[in-house]
C-alpha cells in the first residue's frame, strides 16, 4: 500500500472509534467449501437485510445439522452480536469450537466476542489460537490482536503488527473485500503517526466496496474514517447506503447519530436510540448516548447510560471515559479518580479519557479544566493530536493566544485534516491584524477599518455594563476582559466552534468574549449593544458560579440583564412563542437545556432563550433578586438544578414548572386567548371583498389591518390595527401594529400620536432601524432636540457605520451644548475616513474647542490644514486658538 498514493479525499473525525465494527459485528470472512449454498445464502441475505430473527433461525438450523461449518457458525455468532446477545454469542462460539476439537476456525469469532465482553486475557488466548492454528480468518484475528494491544497501550507493538498488513497487501496478487477492509482498518491506525496513510486507508475501503458492493462493513468503516476526519457529508452518504439495504443496521444508525451530532442536528438523540433498538447492549452506542446527555448537562442520565455500557463490556475504555466525564462534571472527584484508575490499569498510556473529559467539560464551560485535562492527555501521549487540538483551542478560550497558537501548529502538523484547527490558525492570522482598543477593564480587538468608529462606543458600554453588574451581582470577574468583535460572521463562527455556520451572535468563555461586529450582520437583525451586554452578563455568572451555572440559567439571566439595561433590549413575546406554549411544545422546566441543544422544532432555541428569561423575571418579581443570588451560590457549591430549586424555593422541579406556567398564563392571558380564535365573520363591510376576522382574533386583526393599509384604506386599517395592538400589546415585530399606526398618524399630520406609537415600538423592539429613524425624524420636526438625540443614540446600537447619523447626532448635541457627545460623534466621523476629511477634522476641532480641550483642538485643526492648507475656516480657528493660548 505504501507504493500507492492517491489524491486526498475530503476526509473528516467524530468519536466513532476505528474498533467499532470489530467490537460490534466483526468482519464476515470467506468460508470453506463445506458450506451449503442455498440455505446459507438465505441466512446471509436475511442478516444483510436486517431480518435478524430469520437469520438466527437459518444459521441455527445449519449449525444444528452440522452443515456449512464454519460459515454458518460464524454467521450465527455475528447475528447474535449485531442484536446485542453477547452472552448467547459467546455460548454459541464455545459450543461450535468444542464440537470441532482441533479446528481453529471458531477461535477468532470466540476471541472477538470475549473482547467485546471485556474478557481480554481469554480473548487474547483465543485469537492467538486462530493465528497460530492457521485459521481461514487468521488475518481478522491478527487485526483483533493488534487492536487489543493498541487498547492496552502497547502502541509500538500494535503499530508493528498493523504495519504487516501493508506487507500483506503488497505481496498479494488480489485481495478480497474482507482482506481490503482489514488492511484499511490497520492503515487507519498507522495514520496516527503518518497522516498521509489516511488516504491509503480510504482507498483500501473504497476498493473493498468495489470488490463487494453488498458488504456493509467497509462502507461503515469508511464512513467512520470520513467522520473522524471532519467530513460528515460523505460519511452520511455511506451510512445511508448501508441503511438502504438494512434499515436496522446498528453501526450505520450510530454513524448517522454521530454525523448528526457533528452537524449540530437534534436528530442525534433519536438516531442513537434507534441504533439501540437493534442492539440494546451496544457499549459504543450506550457510551455515545451518555455523551449526548452530557451535552444536555444531564449527568444522571449520562451516568446511567455509561454504566449500562459497562454491564456489557466492563473494559470499554470509551464507556469508562464518558462515565469519568459524568462524575467529573457533577463534581464527584472521588468517583472520577476511581474510574481514572480503572482506565489506567487497562491502558496506562490512554490519553482519550482526559480528552473525553476535556471535550465534555467544554460543553459545561469548564475551559480551564479542559486545558488541565488536555495537558495530561498530551503528557501521556504527545502524538494525541486530538489532545493537542483540545489544548490549543481551549488555551485560546482562556486568552492564552501565543501558547494556543504554538500548540495548534503542533496539532495541525500531526493531523492536517483537522478543519477546526486549520480554520482557527487562519483566523489567528486575521486576528493579528485587528486593532487593540483599551479601557480600564477591557481589551477590545476590532477590525482596523472599524476600530476608530466602533471602539469608543463599545468601550464605554462595556465599562457601563461591568459597573452595573458588579453592583448587581456583588462579584467582579477577572480583568482585563478580552473582547473580540469580528467583522465577518464566519470568523466569529470559527472562533467559537471552529467551523463556519454557527448561528449565535456572541459567546462568552468567561473573561474572554467574542461577538459579531454590527457589520457582520444584516442591518435590522442585530443590536450590538444588547449582544455585548448579554456576553458580559455571562462573564459575571460564569465567574460567580466558578463555571458551574447550567445553560438555561446563564442564558436566561443574560437576556434578563439585557432588558434591565435599555428599553427594548432582550427577547420579547411573539405570537409563535405563545402558540408554541399553547401547543405544549415548550420544554418543561426540568428539560429546558434540551431546548438549547436538542430542539424539537426550528424556533425552539429562540423560544428557550425567552422562556429562560421569563423564569428569571418571574423569580425576581416574586421572590426578589436575592433569590437569584442564592441560586447562583447553590450552583457554585456544586448543587444540581433539582437541589437548587428545592433549597431556594422549597419546591420540586415539577411544582416550580407549574408555578411558571401559572405566571405565563397570567402575564399573557389576553394575547393567548386572542391567538386561539381563528373564526371569521362573513360579509363584513370594509371594501376588501373578503371575510373579516372576529374582533378578538389577533392574527386576523393584524392581517386585516395590513391589508387595508397596503390598499390605502387608512381608516379601516387603523381600526384593525388598534384592535390588534390592544389584544397583544407586547408584540413589536417587523409587522407590529405600532409601526403602521405611526405611519397612519404621520400621514394625517398627527405627529404626537405617531411619536407615541413609535416610542412604544422601540421600547420593545431593539433592532428595528426604520422605527428608530422615523421616530428621530418626528422628534426633530417638533423641535424636540433631546428626544431626537436620545433616539439617534439608540440607533447607533443597530448601525454605527452611517456617517449621516453621526453628523446629525453631533449637530443635535451641539445644539444642546453637550460637547462631550459632540466630540464623540465628530471623532467617529473622522474614523470613517470621510470624503471631506479636512472638513470633518475642522468640525472635530470646533467640538474639542467648545469642550475645553484646546490641545486636541489645535492638533485636529493642524491635521485639517495639512490636508487643505488654504482652508480659511481652519486657519481662522487656528489663529483663535493661538490667541487664546495663555
Amino acid at each position: 500500500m505504501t507504493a500507492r498514493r492517491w489524491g486526498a479525499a475530503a476526509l473528516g473525525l467524530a468519536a466513532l472509534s476505528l474498533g467499532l465494527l470489530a467490537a460490534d459485528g466483526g468482519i464476515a470472512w470467506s468460508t470453506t467449501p463445506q458450506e451449503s449454498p442455498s440455505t446459507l445464502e438465505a441466512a446471509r441475505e436475511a442478516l444483510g437485510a436486517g431480518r435478524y430473527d430469520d437469520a438466527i433461525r437459518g444459521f441455527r438450523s445449519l449449525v444444528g445439522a452440522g452443515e456449512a461449518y464454519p460459515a454458518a457458525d460464524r454467521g450465527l455468532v455475528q447475528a447474535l452480536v449485531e442484536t446485542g446477545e453477547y452472552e448467547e454469542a459467546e455460548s454459541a462460539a464455545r459450543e461450535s469450537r468444542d464440537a470441532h476439537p482441533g479446528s481453529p476456525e471458531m477461535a477468532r469469532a470466540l476471541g472477538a466476542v470475549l473482547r467485546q465482553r471485556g474478557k481480554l486475557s481469554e480473548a487474547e488466548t483465543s485469537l492467538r489460537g486462530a493465528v497460530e492454528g492457521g485459521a481461514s480468518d487468521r488475518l481478522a484475528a491478527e487485526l483483533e490482536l493488534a487492536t487489543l494491544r493498541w487498547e492496552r497501550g502497547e502502541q509500538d507493538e500494535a503499530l508493528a503488527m498493523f504495519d504487516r498488513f501493508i506487507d500483506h497487501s503488497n505481496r498479494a496478487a488480489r485481495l478480497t473485500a474482507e482482506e481490503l477492509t482489514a488492511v484499511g482498518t490497520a492503515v487507519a491506525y498507522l495514520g496516527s503517526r503518518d497522516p498521509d496513510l489516511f488516504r491509503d486507508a480510504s482507498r483500501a475501503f473504497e476498493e473493498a466496496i468495489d470488490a463487494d458492493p453488498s458488504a456493509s462493513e467497509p462502507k461503515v468503516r469508511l464512513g467512520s474514517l470520513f467522520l473522524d476526519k471532519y467530513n460528515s457529508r460523505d460519511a452520511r452518504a455511506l451510512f445511508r447506503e448501508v441503511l438502504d439495504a438494512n434499515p436496522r443496521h446498528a453501526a450505520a444508525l450510530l454513524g448517522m447519530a454521530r454525523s448528526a451530532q457533528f452537524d449540530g442536528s437534534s436528530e442525534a438523540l433519536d438516531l442513537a436510540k434507534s441504533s439501540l433498538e437493534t442492539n440494546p447492549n451496544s457499549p459504543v452506542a450506550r457510551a455515545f448516548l451518555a455523551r449526548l446527555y452530557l451535552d444536555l448537562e444531564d449527568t444522571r442520565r449520562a451516568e446511567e447510560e455509561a454504566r449500562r455500557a459497562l454491564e456489557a463490556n466492563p473494559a470499554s475504555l470509551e464507556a469508562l471515559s464518558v462515565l469519568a466525564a459524568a462524575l467529573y462534571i457533577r463534581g464527584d472527584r472521588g468517583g472520577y479518580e476511581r474510574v481514572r484508575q480503572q482506565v489506567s490499569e487497562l491502558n496506562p498510556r490512554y490519553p482519550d479519557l482526559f480528552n473525553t473529559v476535556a471535550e465534555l467539560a467544554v460543553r459545561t464551560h469548564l475551559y480551564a479544566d479542559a486545558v488541565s485535562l488536555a495537558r495530561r492527555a498530551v503528557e501521556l501521549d504527545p502524538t494525541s493530536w486530538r489532545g493537542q487540538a483540545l489544548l490549543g483551542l481551549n488555551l485560546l478560550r482562556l486568552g492564552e493566544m501565543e501558547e494556543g497558537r504554538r500548540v495548534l501548529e503542533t496539532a495541525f502538523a500531526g493531523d492536517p485534516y483537522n478543519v477546526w484547527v486549520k480554520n482557527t490558525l487562519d483566523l489567528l492570522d486575521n486576528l493579528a491584524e485587528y486593532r487593540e482598543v483599551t479601557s480600564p477593564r477591557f481589551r477590545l480587538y476590532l477590525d482596523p477599518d472599524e476600530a476608530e468608529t466602533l471602539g469608543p462606543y463599545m468601550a464605554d458600554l462595556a465599562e457601563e455594563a461591568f459597573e452595573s453588574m458588579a453592583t448587581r451581582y456583588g462579584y467582579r470577574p477577572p480583568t482585563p476582559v478580552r473582547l473580540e468583535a469580528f467583522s465577518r460572521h464566519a470568523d466569529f463562527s470559527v472562533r467559537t466552534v471552529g467551523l463556519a455556520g454557527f448561528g449565535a451572535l456572541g459567546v462568552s468563555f468567561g473573561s474572554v468574549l467574542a461577538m459579531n461586529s454590527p457589520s457582520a450582520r444584516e442591518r435590522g437583525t442585530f443590536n450590538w449593544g444588547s449582544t455585548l451586554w448579554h456576553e458580559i452578563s455571562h462573564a459575571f455568572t460564569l465567574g460567580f458560579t466558578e463555571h458551574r451555572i447550567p445553560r438555561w440559567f446563564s442564558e436566561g439571566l443574560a437576556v434578563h440583564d439585557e432588558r434591565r439595561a435599555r428599553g427594548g433590549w432582550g427577547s420579547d413575546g411573539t405570537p409563535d412563542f405563545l402558540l408554541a406554549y399553547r401547543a405544549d411544545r415548550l420544554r418543561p422546566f426540568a428539560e429546558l437545556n434540551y431546548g438549547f441543544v436538542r430542539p424539537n422544532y426550528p424556533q425552539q432555541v429562540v423560544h428557550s432563550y425567552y422562556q429562560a428569561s421569563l423564569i428569571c423575571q418571574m423569580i425576581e418579581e416574586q421572590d426578589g433578586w436575592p433569590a437569584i443570588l442564592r441560586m447562583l451560590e447553590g450552583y457554585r457549591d456544586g448543587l444540581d438544578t433539582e437541589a437548587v430549586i428545592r433549597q431556594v424555593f422549597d419546591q420540586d422541579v415539577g411544582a416550580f414548572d407549574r408555578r411558571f406556567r401559572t405566571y405565563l398564563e397570567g402575564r399573557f392571558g389576553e394575547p393567548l386567548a386572542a391567538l386561539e380564535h381563528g373564526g371569521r365573520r362573513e360579509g363584513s363591510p370594509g371594501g376588501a371583498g373578503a371575510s373579516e376576522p372576529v374582533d378578538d382574533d389577533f392574527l386576523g386583526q393584524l392581517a386585516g389591518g395590513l391589508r387595508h393599509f397596503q390598499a390605502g384604506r387608512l381608516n379601516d386599517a387603523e381600526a384593525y390595527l388598534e384592535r390588534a395592538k390592544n389584544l397583544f400589546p407586547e408584540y413589536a415585530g417587523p409587522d407590529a401594529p405600532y409601526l403602521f399606526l405611526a405611519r397612519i398618524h404621520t400621514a394625517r399630520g398627527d405627529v404626537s400620536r405617531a411619536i407615541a406609537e413609535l416610542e412604544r415600538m422601540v421600547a420593545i423592539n431593539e433592532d428595528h432601524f426604520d422605527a428608530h429613524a422615523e421616530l428621530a425624524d418626528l422628534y426633530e420636526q417638533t423641535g424636540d432636540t433631546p428626544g431626537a438625540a436620545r433616539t439617534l443614540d439608540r440607533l447607533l446600537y443597530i448601525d454605527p457605520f452611517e456617517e449621516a447619523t453621526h453628523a446629525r447626532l453631533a449637530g443635535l448635541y451641539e445644539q444642546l451644548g453637550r460637547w462631550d457627545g459632540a466630540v464623540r460623534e465628530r471623532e467617529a466621523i473622522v474614523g470613517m475616513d470621510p470624503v471631506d476629511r479636512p472638513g470633518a477634522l475642522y468640525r472635530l476641532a470646533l467640538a474639542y474647542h467648545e469642550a475645553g480641550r484646546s490641545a486636541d483642538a489645535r492638533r485636529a485643526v493642524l491635521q485639517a490644514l495639512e490636508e487643505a492648507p488654504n482652508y480659511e475656516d481652519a486657519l481662522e480657528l487656528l489663529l483663535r486658538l493661538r490667541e487664546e493660548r495663555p
Side-chain angles (χ1 to χ4, degrees):
M1 291 290 287
T2 55
R4 301 185 202 141
R5 288 284 182 254
W6 34 78
L11 296 178
L13 155 95
L16 192 59
S17 69
L18 290 168
L20 168 64
L21 293 188
D24 277 14
I27 298 175
W29 298 95
S30 302
T31 57
T32 69
Q34 294 175 295
E35 62 189 52
S36 175
S38 59
T39 310
L40 181 62
E41 287 307 315
R44 283 176 167 170
E45 181 183 352
L47 180 60
R51 301 195 311 274
Y52 292 107
D53 290 344
D54 292 343
I56 290 170
R57 278 194 296 270
F59 287 129
R60 279 197 194 282
S61 175
L62 288 166
V63 171
E67 298 179 16
Y69 175 81
D73 305 65
R74 291 174 182 168
L76 175 59
V77 172
Q78 182 174 347
L80 291 168
V81 165
E82 289 191 19
T83 53
E85 300 294 343
Y86 297 120
E87 185 175 356
E88 192 174 350
E90 180 185 340
S91 296
R94 289 187 186 278
E95 289 171 8
S96 180
R97 180 200 60 183
D98 295 344
H100 300 85
S103 169
E105 294 300 329
M106 289 302 294
R108 196 281 308 173
L110 175 58
V113 175
L114 290 167
R115 178 170 160 253
Q116 292 157 32
R117 302 197 67 198
K119 301 177 180 181
L120 303 184
S121 296
E122 287 184 79
E124 183 174 11
T125 300
S126 189
L127 292 168
R128 287 191 181 281
V131 174
E132 294 166 1
S136 59
D137 60 355
R138 61 184 174 278
L139 196 63
E142 287 183 22
L143 181 63
E144 293 270 3
L145 277 170
T147 306
L148 190 60
R149 285 199 160 189
W150 179 271
E151 292 175 351
R152 285 200 308 232
E154 300 169 6
Q155 293 184 353
D156 292 341
E157 296 86 344
L159 289 170
M161 294 176 71
F162 289 133
D163 195 60
R164 290 202 291 269
F165 282 77
I166 295 179
D167 297 334
H168 176 80
S169 70
N170 287 332
R171 287 195 306 268
R174 180 178 176 276
L175 298 175
T176 66
E178 294 84 354
E179 290 167 331
L180 285 163
T181 301
V183 170
T185 304
V187 173
Y189 276 100
L190 293 170
S192 66
R193 297 297 185 268
D194 179 359
D196 284 342
L197 289 176
F198 286 122
R199 304 173 188 172
D200 295 352
S202 173
R203 182 58 180 270
F205 291 135
E206 290 168 358
E207 291 182 0
I209 294 168
D210 291 341
D212 183 1
S214 68
S216 62
E217 178 143 357
K219 295 173 187 174
V220 175
R221 285 189 182 266
L222 180 57
S224 303
L225 181 60
F226 280 144
L227 201 51
D228 225 32
K229 296 296 153 213
Y230 317 96
N231 177 5
S232 67
R233 184 189 63 185
D234 289 339
R236 282 196 313 273
L238 285 159
F239 297 139
R240 174 51 56 197
E241 190 175 339
V242 173
L243 292 170
D244 287 343
N246 177 2
R248 299 180 61 201
H249 198 288
L253 286 165
L254 183 56
M256 290 292 283
R258 293 186 187 276
S259 298
Q261 184 202 35
F262 180 92
D263 294 334
S265 169
S266 60
E267 295 179 344
L269 203 62
D270 289 339
L271 285 164
K273 291 177 179 178
S274 295
S275 176
L276 286 163
E277 288 175 7
T278 298
N279 181 349
N281 297 313
S282 167
V284 288
R286 290 284 172 199
F288 177 69
L289 188 58
R291 288 181 66 100
L292 294 181
Y293 282 129
L294 285 177
D295 283 349
L296 299 167
E297 302 178 14
D298 192 337
T299 57
R300 179 184 60 80
R301 287 184 181 174
E303 181 179 350
E304 288 174 359
E305 292 299 334
R307 292 196 184 280
R308 289 190 67 179
L310 292 168
E311 288 173 7
N313 181 358
S316 169
L317 294 172
E318 187 174 357
L320 285 165
S321 298
V322 181
L323 175 59
L327 296 170
Y328 187 96
I329 291 167
R330 198 173 64 204
D332 183 355
R333 293 299 192 267
Y336 161 76
E337 283 297 331
R338 287 190 292 274
V339 175
R340 187 197 60 75
Q341 184 60 37
Q342 278 183 267
V343 170
S344 182
E345 290 170 2
L346 289 166
N347 181 349
R349 297 181 59 191
Y350 185 66
D352 283 339
L353 175 134
F354 297 111
N355 287 332
T356 298
V357 181
E359 282 178 346
L360 292 165
V362 168
R363 302 288 206 279
T364 51
H365 321 296
L366 297 171
Y367 305 110
D369 293 52
V371 165
S372 299
L373 290 158
R375 284 195 195 280
R376 295 194 67 180
V378 299
E379 287 167 3
L380 272 181
D381 181 3
T383 66
S384 173
W385 312 124
R386 177 186 175 194
Q388 297 281 8
L390 279 166
L391 177 57
L393 291 170
N394 284 290
L395 283 167
L396 296 182
R397 288 168 178 149
L398 297 182
E400 302 292 338
M401 308 305 287
E402 292 184 9
E403 185 184 2
R405 177 192 275 275
R406 287 197 303 271
V407 174
L408 287 180
E409 286 172 347
T410 300
F412 190 64
D415 182 7
Y417 300 105
N418 190 325
V419 66
W420 294 331
V421 172
K422 168 67 166 58
N423 288 346
T424 302
L425 287 171
D426 289 344
L427 173 67
L428 291 175
D429 291 339
N430 295 337
L431 194 56
E433 304 299 321
Y434 272 39
R435 186 177 301 174
E436 183 183 71
V437 176
T438 64
S439 69
R441 287 167 290 205
F442 288 84
R443 300 292 180 269
L444 312 180
Y445 295 87
L446 308 176
D447 186 304
D449 293 333
E450 300 178 357
E452 286 189 45
T453 300
L454 185 59
Y457 298 91
M458 194 167 273
D460 287 350
L461 184 65
E463 291 292 339
E464 178 192 342
F466 191 100
E467 195 57 44
S468 171
M469 282 184 255
T471 301
R472 184 162 162 78
Y473 286 100
Y475 165 82
R476 291 172 179 263
T479 57
V481 177
R482 178 186 177 96
L483 170 63
E484 302 159 7
F486 293 97
S487 57
R488 294 177 63 249
H489 178 71
D491 288 341
F492 161 72
S493 184
V494 168
R495 179 62 161 110
T496 306
V497 296
L499 299 170
F502 185 55
L505 301 174
V507 67
S508 172
F509 302 117
S511 285
V512 175
L513 315 176
M515 61 178 283
N516 283 292
S517 157
S519 62
R521 310 293 292 193
E522 183 180 353
R523 190 171 77 179
T525 62
F526 173 56
N527 185 303
W528 69 263
S530 66
T531 300
L532 176 61
W533 203 282
H534 183 107
E535 300 311 327
I536 293 173
S537 171
H538 284 316
F540 275 82
T541 58
L542 284 170
F544 190 113
T545 61
E546 298 176 4
H547 288 240
R548 294 192 179 98
I549 187 171
R551 183 176 281 105
W552 76 265
F553 196 34
S554 182
E555 297 296 355
L557 279 174
V559 175
H560 185 49
D561 282 337
E562 287 180 65
R563 282 202 288 266
R564 290 178 55 88
R566 296 282 193 283
W569 286 11
S571 304
D572 296 293
T574 59
D576 54 270
F577 174 80
L578 295 182
L579 288 169
Y581 167 72
R582 184 58 76 208
D584 203 25
R585 302 185 77 187
L586 300 183
R587 292 284 190 173
F589 173 68
E591 296 180 359
L592 186 49
N593 276 338
Y594 287 46
F596 292 95
V597 183
R598 296 281 177 262
N600 287 333
Y601 59 94
Q603 294 169 304
Q604 190 167 58
V605 173
V606 174
H607 290 171
S608 296
Y609 274 89
Y610 185 51
Q611 181 181 353
S613 76
L614 288 177
I615 291 172
C616 295
Q617 189 165 329
M618 176 193 75
I619 293 169
E620 184 167 12
E621 288 176 4
Q622 297 182 355
D623 303 280
W625 182 249
I628 296 284
L629 297 179
R630 289 197 300 275
M631 291 178 69
L632 291 169
E633 290 164 355
Y635 286 121
R636 181 196 62 201
D637 295 342
L639 300 181
D640 61 14
T641 293
E642 187 172 348
V644 165
I645 295 299
R646 188 170 295 282
Q647 176 175 283
V648 176
F649 304 106
D650 195 25
Q651 289 180 304
D652 60 31
V653 292
F656 186 83
D657 186 54
R658 291 189 294 274
R659 174 185 166 192
F660 171 67
R661 289 173 183 271
T662 300
Y663 172 81
L664 204 61
E665 292 278 355
R667 174 166 178 160
F668 293 106
E670 189 170 357
L672 282 166
L675 288 166
E676 288 182 348
H677 295 291
R680 295 189 171 278
R681 277 183 299 204
E682 300 298 333
S684 297
S691 60
E692 298 294 331
V694 295
D695 289 348
D696 51 2
D697 172 11
F698 168 74
L699 294 176
Q701 293 292 327
L702 178 59
L706 296 177
R707 186 172 66 250
H708 286 301
F709 181 87
Q710 290 160 3
R713 296 186 291 272
L714 301 188
N715 290 337
D716 291 328
E718 181 181 11
Y720 280 93
L721 293 169
E722 281 287 350
R723 284 195 293 271
K725 179 183 74 174
N726 292 331
L727 288 169
F728 195 169
E730 288 202 29
Y731 178 61
D735 58 351
Y738 297 113
L739 182 63
F740 294 95
L741 286 167
R743 289 172 178 172
I744 290 170
H745 297 317
T746 300
R748 293 172 176 165
D750 193 343
V751 175
S752 62
R753 291 185 69 187
I755 288 174
E757 297 293 349
L758 288 172
E759 278 289 5
R760 295 188 190 101
M761 173 86 173
V762 300
I764 303 171
N765 187 326
E766 64 182 18
D767 299 330
H768 204 291
F769 183 90
D770 290 344
H772 284 83
E774 291 174 27
L775 179 58
D777 289 343
L778 293 174
Y779 273 130
E780 283 200 88
Q781 286 178 31
T782 61
D784 186 344
T785 303
R790 183 177 63 250
T791 305
L792 288 178
D793 187 69
R794 287 203 301 252
L795 189 65
L796 292 176
Y797 291 118
I798 303 171
D799 184 357
F801 300 124
E802 286 284 341
E803 183 181 335
T805 303
H806 289 285
R808 189 176 166 192
L809 184 53
L812 292 171
Y813 282 144
E814 287 162 3
Q815 292 177 45
L816 294 167
R818 293 175 54 184
W819 293 106
D820 287 344
V823 164
R824 186 187 71 173
E825 300 310 312
R826 296 298 180 191
E827 287 177 335
I829 293 169
V830 170
M832 299 171 79
D833 196 18
V835 174
D836 181 14
R837 181 173 170 81
L841 285 163
Y842 165 70
R843 286 183 283 276
L844 174 58
L846 284 174
Y848 279 141
H849 180 245
E850 294 294 339
R853 297 169 59 176
S854 298
D856 290 329
R858 283 191 294 273
R859 175 178 50 80
V861 77
L862 287 171
Q863 285 181 288
L865 288 167
E866 285 176 9
E867 300 191 22
N870 299 318
Y871 191 167
E872 290 187 9
D873 290 344
L875 287 167
E876 290 179 9
L877 177 59
L878 180 61
L879 181 60
R880 194 186 336 155
L881 290 169
R882 285 175 174 172
E883 290 173 350
E884 293 174 358
R885 181 181 294 179

